[in-house]
Amino acid sequence: MRIGVNVPNFGPGTDPGLLRQWASTVEGLGFDLLMVSDHVAITPDVAAQYPAPFYEPFTTLAWLAGVTDRIALGTTVLIVPYRHPLLVARMAANLNDLSGGRLVLGVGVGWARQEFEALGVAYERRGRLTDEHLAAIRAAWADESDYRSGGVPIWVGGGSDAALRRAVRLGEAWHPLRNTIPWLRETLPRLKAIADDHGRPVPAFAPRILLRLTASPVTGPDRRAGEGTIEQVAGDLDQLRLLGAETVVLDPFVGDPEETRRPEAAWQMLATVAAVRR
């Protein structure tokens, strides 16, 4: 099972030098995948969780591709309706080609209503637009003489039935974000049932989980995967592997933008996980 890391590409402490340090740390610790998030217009609803500066994901990953050697690079998740599908197809294919085939395109429908309004995109149509755009991206990539996509895998985020259907029809993997182990265990059979209904293979399972290490165990039914002592987190990774996860992405951003000024705490958590993984 591969282990990836979601790197904060936003917040008051983030700049090109820090992004390079993140990449060096994550690759140096032996992780398999480095992913970043997506926002375009930092409207008040976005800024409340992910304040400026916000480094656009394709630009950021192109920069990091040039300062890394082996680690895969990806988005978790690109908001598909924000950009014309041919632009996404072009940028993703070019980035994959320039990075030596290292791109994973994680995608989602988005949630920030004010950002949709700022971009002139219909919030109420975001699910349908995502489906239409993904189909157009795949159609563009079929022209290998032009786009040279090299088979970029698409991971589809979200936990609704619509998201599961999207993963089955348009993705290589289902990429749920920050859930509990019981919820994931209960939802995976739904994914299989939808795949069976469509006569299609079940997508790969590639969850993103929180990483928040604590000195004492975290208990209760609402404990999210990746939250608790290192023993609990190691147990979560084992359970996810048994559930069929091919890749797990660790998300060390707990929610305070000031964390971006003090990345050492996140790096230490990742080093602890890397040591247990060996």
Side-chain angles (χ1 to χ4, degrees):
M1 186 174 74
R2 300 192 308 166
I3 306 292
V5 178
N6 182 31
V7 168
N9 54 318
F10 56 85
T14 301
D15 60 26
L18 184 62
L19 288 167
R20 182 170 186 157
Q21 285 183 275
W22 265 104
S24 175
T25 299
V26 170
E27 187 170 54
L29 287 171
F31 290 102
D32 303 292
L33 174 62
L34 183 159
M35 305 191 90
V36 296
S37 302
D38 180 32
H39 283 288
V40 176
I42 310 305
T43 48
D45 49 356
V46 174
Q49 299 184 48
Y50 310 107
F54 203 107
Y55 285 78
E56 193 277 329
F58 284 116
T59 311
T60 301
L61 293 175
W63 155 242
L64 297 180
V67 298
T68 55
D69 296 314
R70 59 154 194 89
I71 197 164
L73 306 163
T75 55
T76 177
V77 289
L78 189 84
I79 309 304
V80 175
Y82 285 174
R83 301 167 180 85
H84 193 285
L86 294 183
L87 177 62
V88 174
R90 179 72 63 192
M91 290 192 296
N94 288 172
L95 177 53
N96 190 58
D97 197 14
L98 291 166
S99 67
R102 290 191 277 157
L103 182 65
V104 173
L105 189 67
V107 299
V109 302
W111 56 268
R113 184 182 289 270
Q114 292 172 339
E115 188 174 20
F116 273 87
E117 292 172 354
L119 295 170
V121 180
Y123 179 83
E124 293 75 13
R125 295 191 64 239
R126 65 194 189 282
R128 180 173 293 182
L129 286 171
T130 297
D131 291 347
E132 293 172 355
H133 286 199
L134 288 176
I137 290 166
R138 288 204 172 279
W141 285 350
D143 184 356
E144 275 292 336
S145 65
D146 180 8
Y147 284 86
R148 293 178 155 182
S149 66
V152 177
I154 293 177
W155 292 5
V156 178
S160 66
D161 281 351
L164 298 180
R165 289 192 296 271
R166 187 173 298 117
V168 166
R169 292 186 295 106
L170 297 165
E172 277 75 33
W174 177 47
H175 183 49
L177 311 179
R178 290 190 170 215
N179 303 109
T180 67
I181 294 287
W183 185 89
L184 292 167
R185 186 179 291 114
E186 293 169 3
T187 306
L188 282 166
R190 282 171 45 210
L191 181 69
K192 183 179 186 306
I194 290 171
D196 290 345
D197 287 345
H198 283 79
R200 297 182 63 87
V202 180
F205 176 41
R208 186 180 104 199
I209 66 171
L210 178 67
L211 178 61
R212 186 175 79 88
L213 294 183
T214 60
S216 302
V218 176
T219 58
D222 295 330
R223 183 185 78 85
R224 291 170 292 181
E227 188 174 30
T229 64
I230 185 58
E231 291 79 15
Q232 286 181 296
V233 173
D236 290 339
L237 292 173
D238 284 341
Q239 289 190 64
L240 291 169
R241 178 178 53 80
L242 292 173
L243 287 172
E246 296 184 2
T247 305
V248 175
V249 179
L250 304 175
D251 187 352
F253 179 69
V254 177
D256 181 1
E258 289 300 310
E259 295 171 45
T260 61
R261 300 187 194 273
R262 302 182 298 272
E264 294 81 8
W267 296 344
Q268 183 57 56
M269 288 192 298
L270 291 169
T272 301
V273 173
V276 169
R277 183 189 176 202
R278 294 191 183 101

